Each structure stands twice: as structure tokens, then as C-alpha cells.
Amino acid sequence: MRLVGPRPIALVTTTDEQGCKNAVPMSFISVFSHDPPLLILGIQTRASGNSKDTVANIRRSGEFVVHMVDMAIAKEMIFTGINLPSDVDEIQASGLTSVSSVKVAPPRIQVSPCAMECRVL
């Protein structure tokens, strides 16, 4: 059933305890406010009921980066949706390049048209 669409797709980056970079496409995102800036993510569990790496990383560090996706990086975004082992850097594996964020530890995607550095509130 498709009630709300089309939805924008974002690419969310986090890092694990060892600094391994994680990237995942996500369509359940929304900006709630601009002052203060508030953004929400809706992340489902794995079919097993376990948390996904993104959730575990956000719960541990409280930080993540949300990138808007355009057609220039659509192919790489789709690749990041593959269920890879936790110790694989999805940014590098997809062919994207990461750069340091300004305010948070998780990296930004260099070619993303928009990156929002976030902390859990």
C-alpha cells in the first residue's frame, strides 16, 4: 500500500565503536522544525527483531549524518542497502567518498547535495 509518496530518500551515516563507517538508505525521514532544527528517522528492526547497525551506532554515540540523495549518487545509495557484514565500510564499498563532518564524528558523503549533522535530542 502506498499512501504517502513519493518520499525522499536519505543516506544516513554512522560509525561503530571501532570507527567503521556505516551508510544506509532511508525513506522514513522527516524534518519537523527549522528553529530549532529537528529531524526524525523511522528505523525498522531486522526481520529477526534485532536492531540494525545504524540504530546500535546512534544509540551508542548519539550522532549521525543525514544526506539527501540525488540521481548522481542513486546507484551508490542502492548499493548501501545491501545487507553487508557490520565490519564493512559501506561508504567505501559503494564507491562513495567520505569526508570529516564539522560537528559530529560520523562522516559526511562528499558528493551529497545536502548533509545534516545530527545529535539525538
Side-chain angles (χ1 to χ4, degrees):
M1 179 176 13
R2 188 166 184 103
L3 298 175
V4 179
R7 291 191 309 260
I9 297 178
L11 198 53
V12 177
T13 56
T14 60
T15 52
D16 69 12
E17 292 172 324
Q18 290 75 39
C20 186
K21 299 168 189 154
N22 175 267
V24 62
M26 197 168 296
S27 65
F28 291 112
I29 64 162
S30 190
V31 176
F32 268 28
S33 171
H34 73 282
D35 189 17
L38 295 174
L39 183 140
I40 63 158
L41 303 175
I43 306 174
Q44 297 176 336
T45 59
R46 296 184 187 278
S48 66
N50 295 330
S51 293
K52 294 181 178 180
D53 296 338
T54 301
V55 172
N57 294 340
I58 292 172
R59 283 184 177 153
R60 181 190 50 76
S61 72
E63 298 182 336
F64 55 101
V65 181
V66 177
H67 308 78
M68 297 319 312
V69 174
D70 60 9
M71 291 306 294
I73 60 172
K75 179 179 151 192
E76 292 84 357
M77 176 272 303
I78 291 168
F79 180 87
T80 66
I82 296 172
N83 191 14
L84 297 170
S86 296
D87 62 348
V88 172
D89 177 339
E90 284 111 342
I91 299 170
Q92 182 180 15
S94 70
L96 292 168
T97 301
S98 63
V99 295
S100 295
S101 292
V102 176
K103 303 247 181 200
V104 297
R108 290 184 296 113
I109 305 283
Q110 184 177 28
V111 296
S112 173
C114 171
M116 297 168 274
E117 298 180 15
C118 303
R119 289 194 178 101
V120 174
L121 178 65

